[in-house]
Amino acid sequence: MTYHPKSEFMNVMMTRGFLADCTDYQGLDEALSKGVVPAYIGFDATAKSLHVGSLIQIMMMRWLQKTGHKPITLMGGGTTKVGDPSFRADERPMLGPDQIDDNIAGIKQVFSAYLTYGDAPTDAMMINNAEWLDGLNYLDFLRDIGRHFSINRMLSFESVKSRLDREQSLSFLEFNYMILQAYDFLELNRRYGCLLQMGGSDQWGNIVNGIDLTRRVLDQEIYGLTSPLLTTSDGKKMGKSLSGAVWLNPDMCSPYEFWQFWRNTTDADTGRFLKLYTELPLEECERLGALEGSDINAAKIILANEVTTLLHGAEAAKAAEATSREVFEKGGVGDDLPTLTLTADDVADGISIVQLIVKSGLAKSGKEAKRLIAENGAKMNDAPLTDAGLMVDAAALATPVKLSAGKKRHALVQLG
């Protein structure tokens, strides 16, 4: 793609690695150059917090606002009742209205760290799609909206096709999800003049549906832009750590734990993550990402500090770095904490967390280690361990890992 954008926002998206696809590069770029463009991303309320996997979308919204446009964070109070089937092997569990409201309240906390909400032209808005979905009349909706959708075309979307190809059932309830998401775009355009929907590349079909529907019903020209679905260089899904999802709410993932997740980025991902998750100048991201050997660790600390500062504030980032130095650097590896040094052969096929706890001297037997995990007494890098079947590989031990039993007994595990 050799298109050279005029607008600052499109330039940021393209140069920093946010852009996977766009429905009309030139048309969107023109609109962005002419004035304030309201744009939205939808977030379903399936948990009390978003996790690191959503951070790329949140950063897109932040850049949108920084470059003079209006972000709309759309809470899926209505769509969460149905569940997005995109690339899922099974149907989402049904949540009740109280649980959905609780989840929305939890998710809202995060956005205010990244966006400025208010009434000014480029201030962000938070809207709940229950506003228009909860009161829909089914027959009117079928007649006015349903007639614009071709089942043949919906079946051709990759997210639906992949489910059917595996002969996994797709309920009529979930099949309606893409119609509701398309309708969201139409309503946001009608009510708030929204011109752009953004999302991960798995949302491409849903976004295109919304553009098509709005063109047919309102005769409006609107746009879609997707970001790549991120995996780390070792093929893992972004947002997962050894102890599970890395949540953005501090009560579900401490700032130290969050900082540590970024500090443990693999060498190959450091430059790319600096461009996506920090606001450091492009040249600086490239310079830091190109460092080699032990020098790249300095770049990872900068990455961890910058990302943690954006979410939790500078004080929390500073405290997390200080704690990390205390535990991992100031003689902690050699003197203060018992250290288990493994060879690459020891972990060639992965090693179970239970074995690691026993080998590091924190439990006398596998049975004791399992009980420790079951009673929430075991932690890895200060994050509670919940899965006794967890396997740890060499990539996870690229930097020393701290294991804890209770509050006072700790050990380090490292590769020799």
Side-chain angles (χ1 to χ4, degrees):
M1 178 76 213
T2 52
Y3 180 71
H4 297 292
K6 295 187 225 170
S7 66
E8 195 188 346
F9 178 69
M10 280 297 265
N11 189 46
V12 168
M13 291 297 100
M14 291 171 93
T15 56
R16 295 186 81 97
F18 284 99
L19 192 60
D21 222 331
C22 180
T23 54
D24 176 358
Y25 289 88
Q26 215 159 346
L28 176 56
D29 194 33
E30 288 290 334
L32 289 157
S33 303
K34 280 182 193 151
V36 176
V37 167
Y40 92 98
I41 298 179
F43 297 89
D44 275 344
T46 48
K48 276 194 165 59
S49 168
L50 299 172
H51 60 67
V52 164
S54 297
L55 204 47
I56 188 168
Q57 321 295 348
I58 297 171
M59 288 302 290
M60 286 164 86
M61 299 289 254
R62 185 173 167 86
W63 279 112
L64 184 88
Q65 189 167 49
K66 276 173 76 88
T67 55
H69 302 284
K70 189 176 189 69
I72 298 172
T73 42
L74 182 71
M75 296 285 98
T79 34
T80 305
K81 292 170 185 167
V82 175
D84 182 0
S86 295
F87 297 98
R88 285 181 62 85
D90 51 13
E91 197 168 316
R92 285 192 186 278
M94 287 290 168
L95 299 179
D98 291 347
Q99 172 123 47
I100 291 171
D101 288 345
D102 274 1
N103 289 352
I104 288 174
I107 290 168
K108 278 180 177 177
Q109 294 173 34
V110 167
F111 289 110
S112 51
Y114 293 91
L115 302 172
T116 304
Y117 287 86
D119 302 320
T122 62
D123 280 350
M125 299 171 77
M126 184 165 284
I127 293 162
N128 187 334
N129 64 12
E131 200 181 297
W132 51 84
L133 294 181
D134 277 6
L136 281 181
N137 176 307
Y138 190 56
L139 290 177
D140 289 348
F141 185 71
L142 279 182
R143 190 190 58 211
D144 299 338
I145 302 300
R147 66 193 175 90
H148 295 293
F149 287 84
S150 149
I151 293 286
N152 312 41
R153 187 154 170 265
M154 288 162 82
L155 288 171
S156 74
F157 285 125
E158 196 50 47
S159 56
V160 173
K161 220 158 119 289
S162 62
R163 183 96 158 251
L164 297 177
D165 287 349
R166 294 194 301 267
E167 295 185 359
Q168 286 161 331
S169 78
L170 181 71
S171 74
F172 179 66
L173 177 74
E174 292 177 284
F175 201 57
N176 271 267
Y177 184 91
M178 59 179 86
I179 301 180
L180 295 177
Q181 187 172 328
Y183 185 65
D184 280 347
F185 203 173
L186 181 146
E187 281 295 336
L188 285 168
N189 178 263
R190 180 161 34 205
R191 292 166 185 238
Y192 305 103
C194 184
L195 292 181
L196 169 65
Q197 183 183 358
M198 302 187 289
S201 53
D202 60 339
Q203 294 300 314
W204 181 255
N206 290 334
I207 291 172
V208 170
N209 268 336
I211 291 170
D212 195 42
L213 178 66
T214 307
R215 198 178 285 144
R216 286 165 187 254
V217 177
L218 301 178
D219 197 24
Q220 284 283 347
E221 194 59 47
I222 55 177
Y223 308 95
L225 183 152
T226 58
S227 61
L229 281 186
L230 275 196
T231 52
T232 53
S233 59
D234 51 7
K236 292 196 177 78
K237 200 173 173 185
M238 186 61 190
K240 294 285 163 83
S241 74
L242 281 169
S243 45
V246 180
W247 300 102
L248 301 182
N249 286 21
D251 56 334
M252 290 172 73
C253 174
S254 71
Y256 171 71
E257 217 179 311
F258 183 76
W259 188 94
Q260 201 64 49
F261 170 77
W262 296 98
R263 169 64 183 83
N264 290 338
T265 297
T266 59
D267 294 3
D269 288 322
T270 305
R272 182 170 60 133
F273 287 1
L274 281 160
K275 286 181 198 172
L276 290 170
Y277 299 110
T278 81
E279 292 170 342
L280 291 175
L282 215 48
E283 305 69 46
E284 180 66 355
C285 296
E286 278 162 3
R287 182 189 74 77
L288 289 167
L291 294 173
E292 289 177 357
S294 59
D295 291 344
I296 192 85
N297 289 332
K300 293 178 189 180
I301 288 171
I302 290 169
L303 170 68
N305 283 339
E306 291 287 324
V307 183
T308 306
T309 296
L310 277 174
L311 178 59
H312 297 298
E315 285 305 309
K318 220 180 285 177
E321 185 185 353
T323 303
S324 178
R325 284 191 194 285
E326 205 61 48
V327 172
F328 292 105
E329 290 169 27
K330 286 189 186 163
V333 174
D335 312 327
D336 300 350
L337 294 178
T339 302
L340 168 67
T341 304
L342 299 170
T343 66
D345 289 345
D346 292 333
V347 291
D349 302 317
I351 183 167
S352 79
I353 191 66
V354 167
Q355 273 182 289
L356 278 187
I357 290 171
V358 174
K359 278 178 179 284
S360 62
L362 295 176
K364 292 188 177 69
S365 65
K367 195 174 173 185
E368 190 185 321
K370 284 176 185 170
R371 191 173 69 242
L372 200 62
I373 292 168
E375 292 170 356
N376 300 320
K379 291 184 176 180
M380 179 184 278
N381 289 341
D382 296 330
L385 283 164
T386 51
D387 178 10
L390 180 71
M391 296 297 288
V392 179
D393 58 13
L397 295 169
T399 53
V401 163
K402 176 186 169 194
L403 292 179
S404 307
K407 288 182 179 172
K408 294 185 177 166
R409 294 168 58 231
H410 310 285
L412 284 178
V413 182
Q414 62 182 15
L415 281 182

